[in-house]
Amino acid sequence: MTAPEPDPAGDGLSPGERLLIDRLAAALQDADQITLVIGSGVTATAVPRVQGVLEIADSYAAGRNDDGALERALAQARAELVGARPVDVYRAYRRVFTDWVSGGAFDVIAQQAVLKAYAAPDPMESPLATHGLGQRLDRGVGEGVENDRFSWLLPRGVQALGHLLAAIPEAFDHRVLTTNFDPLLEIAIRDAGGRAVSLPLDSSGGFGHTGGSDGAVRVFHLHGFWRPTLHVRGPQLLHDPARIAENAPLVATTADLIRGDTVCVIGSSDWAGTITAAVARTRPVRVLWALNDPDAATALGAATRLRENTGVAVECFPGVDSERLFPALAERAGVAVPPRATGLKNRVRHHAWERQLVSQPDSSPPRDVPGLLLQLERRFGWVTQQRGTVQPIRLLWPVRLRPRASVIHMVQAFVAGALARLGVEVRICIDDVGLRDTEAQTGFRDDLDRWIDHTGHGAVREFVSLSEFLDRGARYPAAGNPEALLRPTDPWSVARMFYGEHNPSLYSLLAAVKAVPNLTSWDELEKNAWPIVQAVLRTDARNLLTPLTLWPYLNSMLLESTTNDVMTLGGRDEAILWAQWRQTFGFGPGHLYNPYIRNLKHDAHMLRWSSQEELTRHLHRTRELPGWDAEGSYIPWLFQNALLLPGYLNHEPVPETDDFPLDSWAAFVAADEDGKPVLDDLAARVTNVFLR
């Protein structure tokens, strides 16, 4: 027998939901305290349930370097449990991970499941930018991810519950009990303007000190929490599911936490028996138990069984979906649930549209630094991250020494020159560590100097040899002042703080030094496994020195004056390097990144041509390829950054081809389609500056 279809009340609720709302609304009106007990069904649209967690565990095992041993052990466990409930397989998986990996190994699987609900708009700027996908999250990183609340996916029901708890926390005795290990409920409460404290129970039922959290909603995680806390630090964050039922102290604490006259259980099958056993130990209470199954007979049977197991009155409600229930309950209680704000930090800039709107022939560059940075963003797609740097007065441009400079260096030099012309102190730090080719260094530096002059018009700049800086530091160590201890200027101290205390994943380190691509999902990693292996095989180990040699120089600059007057210049692929720096040393300088050019690196001859004829050939051959006109591809990148950018910075007339003004990429494409020799003209104009 199944429950009848929802009646024509027009509210979209099932009869079970409507009846449960009536019961809860009556309890709220009578000032009865309600103890909410929340299960995984409430967050299931964002965080995988048991079956999804098992799939993550299988993916982890498939990528483990153990000759398939863990995969075979998991397959053996599944074979022994054919037809069993997913939760029984979950118990077996936990045992296998403990036996074959470690007692806390499954915590990493749980953390990856929770992070399915987290999607930062810019992965390179999220707290996870420096964290490996399979690496265990520590408390600091976990808290940072939780504080990035606008990046979390909150189901509609969880969002409404967060507003209820933030608006009338006293009705729920400022507490919620949950068998979930995710932080979505806390995030929803904070999102609604309330305060929430995460209190996971340890194996003995303790949850630590709760002082200083007056007015906050205490969220008690009965089966553990996804990240370490001050009380539960690990190494095992989640309780062993095979032992929860027999954990008397855990059950006793859960019973003590049930303070309300009414207990409402939503989204939980209570597979571990914790809730049932705890209710059986409490004083007589009224239990309202929501079931997702719409079958009325099943609800009656469940109520009978629960009454027998607990000794108290239990009323079960079939067909309850928290996505409908909590918004309707909030409406009944008079609690508004407005559309969720996205937050200013998640701004979206449509650079392509803006460039079309502001590409005006008579425009001239601003005469102030903030204005110029804004125009670089709007017109040319550069990325600025100022982090409190209102007007940078010092620019650090780190450049790795190469046999020849590329057009990417030229474009960066144009901007460095323009900033120097506005009074910014420009320092070009040549990374020549381990390289002693003096002749190459002279030619490389001369090219950078010439390109800076193209827009700097003789403005002051300073070249620094990184190897000489490190040699000086080795001979004359810096004084041990407090600032130098926090941000050391010697490689060994940097290594101790970065590798020892911060402890990034090896993959994130390789991504930071551009040895491998910075991929942020399992699917991307699996899809690019062979390219990653090839990148590791061909990349010089010398790249690993970059953080240990460049960061000391930046730290020495920051010792000279305040942090927020410094900005770095580089490519967008360096963002993770500076994210690693911030994770290690805290608040840091601003950053200016040039637009990314697809599929090409500094050493490609297409970026280091030797004649106009050679560049012309590259342009015409590229023009024949599919996708040649996509943003960030070779030709549009050269046109925008090597032709339009320096002309704009020098306030030169808009370039023309056969009286056809080339003031935007759209104009360039139109001229090309009209048969104008725009590719030849682009090669001539850019080469004139590149090789002059």
Side-chain angles (χ1 to χ4, degrees), residues 85-96 240-242 271-272:
R85 299 177 303 165
V87 69
D88 295 323
V89 182
Y90 173 75
R91 289 191 180 101
Y93 267 45
R94 286 288 303 267
R95 175 183 54 77
V96 170
D240 186 343
W271 57 265

Side-chain angles (χ1 to χ4, degrees), residues 576-595:
I576 187 173
L577 175 70
W578 299 119
Q580 294 274 19
W581 186 94
R582 290 192 300 275
Q583 290 283 339
T584 307
F585 300 112
F587 186 80
H591 307 287
L592 177 60
Y593 301 117
N594 64 267

Side-chain angles (χ1 to χ4, degrees), residues 19 47 73 86 111 122 199 265 273 287 331 362 370 378 400 407 437-439 456 458 493 537 549 553 587 615 648:
L19 184 58
V47 177
Q111 290 176 339
D122 186 349
L199 296 170
V265 183
V287 178
E331 183 178 3
D362 59 347
R378 297 187 66 195
R400 175 167 295 159
V407 70
D437 189 342
T438 307
E439 183 176 345
S493 297
L537 290 173
T549 54
Y553 185 77
F587 186 80
L615 177 57
Y648 170 76

Side-chain angles (χ1 to χ4, degrees), residues 435-581:
L435 302 172
R436 300 299 181 187
D437 189 342
T438 307
E439 183 176 345
Q441 183 167 165
T442 301
F444 187 85
R445 172 174 167 169
D446 287 345
D447 281 338
L448 299 186
D449 217 11
R450 176 167 51 83
W451 294 329
I452 291 173
D453 263 338
H454 185 73
T455 54
H457 306 164
V460 176
R461 81 296 308 258
E462 178 184 358
F463 283 86
V464 177
S465 163
L466 190 56
S467 61
E468 291 179 6
F469 165 78
L470 295 173
D471 289 344
R472 239 182 356 260
R475 290 194 301 270
Y476 308 105
N481 56 64
E483 292 82 4
L485 294 176
L486 291 174
R487 291 174 175 171
T489 58
D490 66 282
W492 173 243
S493 297
V494 168
R496 185 172 62 247
M497 294 184 70
F498 181 40
Y499 296 149
E501 298 176 16
H502 174 53
N503 189 27
S505 74
L506 183 57
Y507 187 88
S508 66
L509 172 60
L510 293 174
V513 300
K514 307 180 189 178
V516 297
N518 183 31
L519 304 178
T520 56
S521 73
W522 289 110
D523 290 342
E524 288 180 311
L525 286 170
E526 291 176 3
K527 190 181 303 181
N528 293 276
W530 178 233
I532 290 171
V533 171
Q534 287 184 308
V536 171
L537 290 173
R538 67 171 177 260
T539 303
D540 294 338
R542 185 171 57 241
N543 289 22
L544 295 173
L545 292 174
T546 299
L548 310 185
T549 54
L550 177 58
W551 291 359
Y553 185 77
L554 172 60
N555 290 347
S556 73
M557 281 186 68
L558 299 180
L559 290 177
E560 298 171 12
S561 62
T562 59
T563 299
N564 63 358
D565 71 358
V566 177
M567 175 173 275
T568 69
L569 171 63
R572 190 72 177 95
D573 54 357
E574 294 172 12
I576 187 173
L577 175 70
W578 299 119
Q580 294 274 19
W581 186 94

Side-chain angles (χ1 to χ4, degrees), residues 7-54:
D7 63 30
D11 55 10
L13 299 175
S14 71
E17 290 166 341
R18 196 172 294 109
L19 184 58
L20 178 55
I21 290 172
D22 288 341
R23 297 281 192 272
L24 292 172
L28 292 174
Q29 187 173 1
D30 296 340
D32 289 344
Q33 283 193 337
I34 300 171
T35 296
L36 276 178
V37 184
I38 302 300
S40 61
V42 174
T43 59
T45 58
V47 177
R49 300 191 76 173
V50 172
Q51 186 58 46
V53 173
L54 297 180

Side-chain angles (χ1 to χ4, degrees), residues 326-405:
F326 287 124
L329 180 60
E331 183 178 3
R332 179 77 71 90
V335 175
V337 184
R340 192 173 178 218
T342 57
L344 292 176
K345 64 183 293 183
N346 286 354
R347 67 175 186 169
V348 177
R349 296 293 301 275
H350 296 282
H351 294 297
W353 297 355
E354 292 178 356
R355 288 199 292 277
Q356 293 294 328
L357 292 172
V358 300
S359 292
Q360 300 159 349
D362 59 347
S363 58
S364 59
R367 297 183 179 181
D368 62 286
V369 174
L372 179 59
L373 295 177
L374 176 62
Q375 292 306 314
L376 287 173
E377 254 197 321
R378 297 187 66 195
R379 294 173 181 271
F380 300 100
W382 288 58
V383 177
T384 58
Q385 296 170 346
Q386 296 186 246
R387 305 187 178 281
T389 312
V390 178
Q391 177 162 335
I393 62 174
R394 292 183 292 163
L395 181 76
L396 172 62
W397 178 22
V399 186
R400 175 167 295 159
L401 179 62
R402 299 176 185 274
R404 275 192 64 196

